[in-house]
Structures are given as C-alpha cells and as structure tokens.
Amino acid sequence: MSYAIESHDFAARDFIGGDAALDFVNTVSGRDESPRDWLDSYTRLLEWTTLVRLLPERNLRALTRKMHDEPGAAGRALMRAKELREELFALVSAIVAGDAPPKSALTTLREHWLAGIDAHELRFENGQVIADIRADASDFDLISAMVAYRMVEHVLTQPPDRLRMCGGTNCAWVFLDSSKAGRRRWCDMAVCGNVAKAQRFYARSRRRSGARS
Ligand SMILES: [Zn+2]
C-alpha cells in the first residue's frame, strides 16, 4: 500500500496514541478518506524516533552515522517499517471492530517483536534485573523492532476495549483510552471533536430551519 507522501515536521500534537507503537501507526493520517504518509525518508523516521524517545541517544547516533554510509539500506529499512505499520493498522482496526486480526499482521508483528527482544540485554543492577536496549544495537530495522516490542509488551497487554480509533473524518488515528471513564472518542477534542460538534450543530440547525418553512 502506498500513500501520498507529505513532508511533515512532527510535533507534540502528533503523539496522541498513548504509546509510541500507536503513534507510529499514526504517521499515516486520514486513512479513511485521503491518506497522507508523513514518513518521507529514513531521516524523518529517525526524527520521529527521537521525539517519541523510542531509543537511547547512543543507538540513535549509531543509526544516524550508518544512514550516511548506507543510504540505500536505510531506504529499504524504511519500506519494511511501513509494511509493519500497515500490518499494525490492520491489527488495531480489527481489534477495535471486535474481529480477528489478519494472520499476516500477527506474523509480521511476531517477526519484528522477536528482533526487539533480541535487541535487549538483561542486567543485574541495584538488586533487580533490568531489560535494556543493547548499547551495540544499530540495525536499521531496530526502530521497527522496538515499535513491535512496545506493541506486544505495552499496547496489546491493555484491555482490548481501551484500543480506539478516532471518530473524526479524514483522521483514523488510533489510541489507547486511558481516561478514567473510558469514553474517549477523539484523537484530540480540539481537532476532530470540535469538527464533529460543528457538523452536528449544522445538521441540527438545518433540521430546525427545515421545520420552520
Ligand atoms: Zn481524529
């Protein structure tokens, strides 16, 4: 699947998923209407990774260096990351709809998740065992691996009814509803919520004026 690529400067408002794995899925906006893909290069993917704090500084530096040496390989890794992203969207939208996710989504997720586990080391520190990203982990696919790792360990461990898709038009962003009441419907009330409210108001006032005539 390929979408219209759009240059985009990521900012805080783009991270509403509640977890980096879902924010990664949301690097395509408007899947329900006119999808825009905001990952126009591996550089952009690194920029996104930095902003969501998916990787430690040292791994980011190693990936940046490697990208300058091997731009072709970085580009291919970006394509694999996008394949994972589309499978994750299929997975999340199936869960949201109460359906079984496609097999290919689980297969792809598992592949990257295993790479994510492999990118970790276990250390004993201050009386406890800590799982940490290996200092020497610098595969181009490390970003996909960590997205998949977070998806399995942090997102899919949440109650499935807390996984949501924004009800706005030309959005289709996904998020974890961590509100107390569990009734979050919008990616951002100020963005999609208000548009929907305005549309409802417009429909209502039209009905009203229709009744008068
Ligand atoms: Zn929205």
Side-chain angles (χ1 to χ4, degrees):
M1 209 175 300
S2 63
Y3 302 124
I5 310 264
E6 199 174 84
S7 274
H8 181 81
D9 289 318
F10 286 103
R13 63 173 181 275
D14 302 321
F15 309 118
I16 57 87
D19 190 279
L22 296 175
D23 288 327
F24 183 66
V25 176
N26 295 342
T27 57
V28 170
S29 194
R31 277 189 174 90
D32 57 317
E33 213 172 285
S34 49
R36 282 98 54 209
D37 183 345
W38 286 342
L39 294 177
D40 54 358
S41 61
Y42 196 85
T43 309
R44 189 78 71 187
L45 178 62
L46 279 176
E47 193 184 295
W48 176 88
T49 305
T50 309
L51 287 170
V52 293
R53 298 195 180 89
L54 188 70
L55 293 176
E57 229 357 87
R58 54 166 196 261
N59 304 78
L60 277 171
R61 274 199 304 269
L63 281 177
T64 308
R65 269 197 308 272
K66 226 173 115 173
M67 178 184 68
H68 292 303
D69 295 341
E70 304 165 54
R76 286 189 292 279
L78 176 66
M79 289 304 128
R80 286 191 294 274
K82 291 184 182 200
E83 277 163 31
L84 170 68
R85 184 182 62 186
E86 296 323 299
E87 294 289 11
L88 292 183
F89 179 73
L91 174 88
V92 172
S93 33
I95 293 173
V96 168
D99 297 330
K103 249 203 180 93
S104 64
L106 295 179
T107 309
T108 307
L109 174 59
R110 179 176 182 275
E111 219 169 86
H112 288 281
W113 168 54
L114 290 178
I117 293 173
D118 193 51
H120 282 75
E121 62 180 0
L122 293 176
R123 278 182 298 111
F124 187 67
E125 210 176 271
N126 299 326
Q128 62 178 146
V129 175
I130 299 166
D132 222 347
I133 299 174
R134 279 187 355 243
D136 65 345
S138 62
D139 195 284
F140 280 130
D141 292 322
L142 180 61
I143 298 169
S144 299
M146 280 311 297
V147 163
Y149 182 85
R150 295 198 60 96
M151 186 59 116
V152 174
E153 313 276 336
H154 298 274
V155 177
L156 298 180
T157 47
Q158 303 292 320
D161 65 336
R162 287 292 179 144
L163 261 179
R164 303 279 164 79
M165 190 180 297
C166 177
T169 21
N170 205 16
C171 180
W173 272 6
V174 291
F175 56 87
L176 267 177
D177 179 8
S178 53
S179 69
K180 217 168 165 186
R183 284 201 293 259
R184 182 175 160 198
R185 292 173 60 197
W186 316 107
C187 60
D188 188 333
M189 187 63 209
V191 181
C192 287
N194 281 344
V195 171
K197 226 160 62 184
Q199 278 165 352
R200 272 200 307 276
F201 177 77
Y202 179 67
R204 255 202 319 266
S205 55
R206 255 175 36 150
R207 270 200 306 275
R208 262 189 220 134
S209 61
R212 263 201 304 271
S213 63

